[in-house]
Amino acid sequence: MSTLTVHVEADDAPWVDGNALAGPLGEIMGTDLTVAELTCAGCRTTRPLAAMRVFDRAPGLVARCPGCEDVVMRVVRMTGRVLVDVRGSLIVSLPVPTA
């Protein structure tokens, strides 16, 4: 029986930071949501969306808490719709726009 060895280079990280959500969420929300803060339902830590670990090698985007690795947000684009699931976040806090 042979053993398969997988080498992951520094550039081949399985995730990117939350800034990867700026475009997809900005298109549907009309604002930069990377400044939003999410409170993780798993560890109760509040962090900016930009600090989340986003896994983008799937049909959708999955944002995980960098502390406990629980899923805090999922974004899936379908024909004519975008699904945003924030079940893993207790609170999504957005700054009030200034005039």
Side-chain angles (χ1 to χ4, degrees), residues 2 5 9 30-31 33 35 37 40-42 48 50 53 59 66 71 78-79 91-92 95:
S2 66
T5 304
E9 300 296 325
T31 189
L33 288 183
V35 297
E37 292 183 337
C40 175
R53 293 180 177 171
V71 174
M78 300 171 51
T79 305
I91 298 170
V92 178

Side-chain angles (χ1 to χ4, degrees), residues 5-52:
T5 304
V6 177
H7 298 282
V8 177
E9 300 296 325
D11 292 342
D12 292 337
W15 55 270
V16 295
D17 69 29
N19 289 305
L21 292 167
L25 290 176
E27 287 177 23
I28 59 172
M29 302 291 195
T31 189
D32 178 12
L33 288 183
T34 58
V35 297
E37 292 183 337
L38 281 74
T39 301
C40 175
C43 67
R44 307 283 199 273
T45 303
T46 300
R47 293 183 173 87
L49 179 61
M52 300 301 159

Side-chain angles (χ1 to χ4, degrees), residues 69-85:
E69 298 186 1
D70 279 1
V71 174
V72 293
M73 179 183 285
R74 294 173 188 89
V75 179
V76 178
R77 182 178 294 273
M78 300 171 51
T79 305
R81 292 196 171 274
V82 176
L83 304 176
V84 180
D85 175 2

